[in-house]
Amino acid sequence: MSPDQTAARDAGAPSASLLERIEPVEGGRAMHDPATGELVGRAPEAAVEDLDAAVARAVAAQPGWAAAGDDVRRRAMHAAADAIEARAEELADLLSREQGKPLNGPNARFEVGACAAWLRATAEFSVEPEVIVDDGTDHAELHHRPLGVVGAIGPWNWPMMISVWQIAPSLRMGNTVVIKPSGYTPLSVLALVEVLNSVLPEGVLLAVPGRGEVGARLSRHPDVAKIMFTGSTETGRTIVKAAGDTLKRLTMELGGNDAGIVLDDADPQAIAEDIFWGAFINTGQTCAAMKRLYVPDSLYDQVCESLLEVAKNAPMGVGREEQNVLGPLQNAVQRDIVVRLVDEAKAAGARVLIGGEHDPEAPGFFYPTTLVADVDPQNPLVIEEQFGPALPIIRYSDLDEAIEQANALEVGLGSSVWSADVDRAREVAARLEAGTTWINKHGAVDPRMPFGGAKQSGYGLEFGEHGLKEVSQPHLISW
Ligand code: NDP
């Protein structure tokens, strides 16, 4: 069935809220709003056998989807974006309640908008056959074929957007997809998939909401050709081992601890807002957020003051209250990591500029916006990933030392350099060990620009033509 026919089929379906359509008839796991503790809905819980059944359906659907041709798949990307836009507010509301992120700021509405934008952008790239050799004697062309079934395993911080990052290129290249959402945010992903499936043919995209054992089976499954994973480095290692027996292709987007380095010619006031959001986007729960900031002696006080001003004017609270731009941590485990790291920094003599106190009696998993100055470069708040709203600001007097400290960790996802002189910043950028180095911005992912990690932040590229090639099988034909 073509996407157009599928849309026609669903147009006559009785209208129901997305939540009504995805909740199980009975049972299920109660999901609560991390800001208030209120019940959001009940998530179905799949077993390993359900995963096997989903993979079998995806295997059966894949040849037809591949044969449908590139134009059909390109149109399906746009139809999927249209479907998301038509239910954008409902998706954003559910995302806000389950994940905790506010509707406004670079949060829930922004994330839903990014889903549509990424689908449209993925429709516009293409991978054409490439003539490799044509010298009159030898000829060789490189084609890119579908891999088969792609398994997608995602996190809880950007559950809809990261799912689209995995789903869109995979489908575009003629693969079918089985996705396992994070156990913390299954409703968001199920609602997204429900909307996408209103325009996709049967069996092309299947969601299996289960806990880690379902993900473990997906990463071992003999009929799954590739795993796209975003999550912690530790789980990434487990998946690499599990996928080894069947030599699956892997894209691993793992944790980071991104450094930002301010150079001594920067204008503190001009850069403060962008530094703040580079660190505090999604209340700090972003793989490629800035997690440590290195500032030269000469600008240290001014940068601290400018950041403090921005921090004071960024309201934190319940996601559905329109004024808020920062929210709670998504879960208690993550909140406790932030509490521990800031407490350790304080105990070691660091100076808290704002925040730094957690009220265990207050409802929700909130931790206040926190800036920590005069922190030792080896403090755990600097060298461990906090993944929350607490930024350590490290003073430096020697740029070479700052670069050395930025490179000292085993992870290397993103990094940034802040300077009035782009050429000078580019020289520093060239010395940083990371998948991406931004200049005068941080975490600004773009569907046209390949994104991936260095060192233990993972491997494989997402987005653009590079991303499409990663979900395909290169096939050389030579005569
Ligand atoms: P995890 O890496 O534990 O989980 C990510 C996904 O992997 C989830 O869907 C999880 O399922 C699944 N999973 C867990 N175990 C296995 C397994 N053995 N085989 C296959 N899949 C599995 O991340 P968390 O969500 O628990 O977050 C922990 C830390 O990871 C954070 O503190 C943060 O540092 C980092 N992180 C990084 C992200 C990034 O964008 N790079 C995003 C989120 C977290 P289930 O939830 O059901 O267990």
Side-chain angles (χ1 to χ4, degrees):
M1 196 186 302
S2 76
D4 297 348
Q5 288 168 317
T6 316
R9 178 197 69 190
D10 280 357
S15 89
S17 77
L18 287 171
L19 199 51
E20 283 167 338
R21 291 169 80 137
I22 60 181
E23 282 187 311
V25 178
E26 55 186 41
R29 194 159 53 91
M31 306 303 301
H32 297 278
D33 185 332
T36 62
E38 284 168 15
L39 182 71
V40 177
R42 288 169 299 108
E45 285 261 76
V48 168
E49 300 74 53
D50 300 313
L51 187 272
D52 287 344
V55 172
R57 284 173 63 199
V59 167
Q62 194 272 326
W65 180 238
D70 200 42
D71 276 350
V72 166
R73 295 196 295 270
R74 184 195 300 264
R75 284 204 304 277
M77 299 289 108
H78 283 297
D82 292 342
I84 286 173
E85 283 164 355
R87 301 197 84 147
E89 197 55 20
E90 196 182 354
L91 286 167
D93 182 74
L94 178 59
L95 175 62
S96 175
R97 286 189 293 144
E98 183 181 50
Q99 204 284 336
K101 62 180 69 187
L103 287 170
N104 290 320
N107 293 298
R109 289 184 178 124
F110 169 86
E111 180 168 350
V112 173
C115 290
W118 245 270
L119 281 157
R120 293 199 195 285
T122 307
E124 296 313 316
F125 302 113
S126 55
V127 179
E128 303 296 338
E130 197 183 331
V131 176
I132 305 290
V133 177
D134 184 14
D135 63 4
T137 309
D138 293 310
H139 306 269
E141 292 169 355
L142 187 62
H143 296 255
H144 286 83
R145 315 291 189 203
L147 283 164
V149 176
V150 172
I153 303 176
W156 46 259
N157 56 342
W158 293 90
M160 291 187 184
M161 186 175 75
I162 289 175
S163 296
V164 167
W165 291 358
Q166 299 172 331
I167 292 167
S170 301
L171 292 183
R172 176 71 206 284
M173 292 307 285
N175 307 286
T176 51
V177 176
V178 176
I179 185 164
K180 191 215 90 68
S182 162
Y184 288 111
T185 49
L187 296 173
S188 300
V189 176
L190 290 173
L192 172 81
V193 168
E194 179 75 18
V195 171
L196 297 179
N197 275 337
S198 69
V199 299
L200 291 170
E202 171 72 25
V204 159
L205 170 62
L206 298 146
V208 185
R211 297 312 302 250
E213 66 276 8
V214 171
R217 172 67 180 154
L218 189 58
S219 47
R220 278 197 310 269
H221 201 294
D223 294 334
V224 172
K226 163 142 191 160
I227 296 289
M228 294 192 76
F229 174 73
T230 297
S232 65
T233 299
E234 194 185 340
T235 304
R237 283 194 196 102
T238 307
I239 290 175
V240 170
K241 286 180 198 149
D245 283 346
T246 47
L247 287 177
K248 287 188 203 331
R249 278 64 181 146
L250 297 168
T251 296
M252 291 276 132
E253 207 266 82
L254 309 176
N257 192 345
D258 291 11
I261 301 181
V262 177
L263 304 190
D264 59 11
D265 61 7
D267 175 347
Q269 279 199 331
I271 61 177
E273 181 127 7
D274 287 335
I275 289 185
F276 181 83
W277 285 111
F280 289 87
I281 182 168
N282 201 27
T283 315
Q285 302 162 104
T286 299
C287 48
M290 184 196 297
K291 293 177 180 135
R292 44 197 177 117
L293 179 65
Y294 295 85
V295 180
D297 272 329
S298 59
L299 295 181
Y300 195 81
D301 292 341
Q302 291 174 66
V303 168
C304 288
E305 277 161 31
S306 302
L307 281 174
L308 187 55
E309 277 315 301
V310 182
K312 283 179 186 163
N313 291 305
M316 176 183 283
V318 175
R320 287 197 292 171
E321 293 172 5
E322 297 276 350
Q323 77 278 10
N324 293 324
V325 289
L326 296 165
L329 278 303
Q330 202 283 327
N331 53 75
V333 175
Q334 194 62 50
R335 194 264 325 272
D336 292 346
I337 291 172
V338 179
V339 171
R340 173 179 64 81
L341 289 172
V342 176
D343 284 354
E344 284 182 21
K346 286 195 294 187
R351 183 164 54 97
V352 173
L353 302 178
I354 187 171
E357 290 295 336
H358 164 241
D359 175 4
E361 303 301 318
F365 305 132
F366 285 97
Y367 191 86
T369 306
T370 298
L371 295 170
V372 182
D374 295 333
V375 56
D376 185 89
Q378 299 307 321
N379 189 275
L381 179 61
V382 178
I383 61 173
E384 293 180 32
E385 186 186 27
Q386 69 277 51
F387 216 68
L391 180 67
I393 308 170
I394 306 115
R395 188 190 290 270
Y396 77 82
S397 47
D398 176 29
L399 179 59
D400 289 340
E401 265 177 35
I403 293 171
E404 198 176 309
Q405 286 165 10
N407 288 338
L409 304 184
E410 62 181 22
V411 287
L413 190 55
S415 57
S416 58
V417 184
W418 302 77
S419 169
D421 179 345
V422 171
D423 289 334
R424 196 172 160 227
R426 286 171 63 206
E427 281 172 25
V428 175
R431 297 172 62 191
L432 292 175
E433 297 168 2
T436 302
T437 300
W438 289 281
I439 293 174
N440 295 330
K441 54 188 179 177
H442 197 115
V445 289
D446 183 317
R448 299 167 300 180
M449 301 180 193
F451 177 67
K455 303 196 278 189
Q456 295 198 24
S457 288
Y459 45 78
L461 289 171
E462 297 181 272
F463 315 158
E465 192 183 328
H466 289 87
L468 293 180
K469 287 182 176 169
E470 298 259 344
V471 280
S472 67
Q473 174 59 52
H475 181 193
L476 188 96
I477 298 182
S478 174
W479 65 96

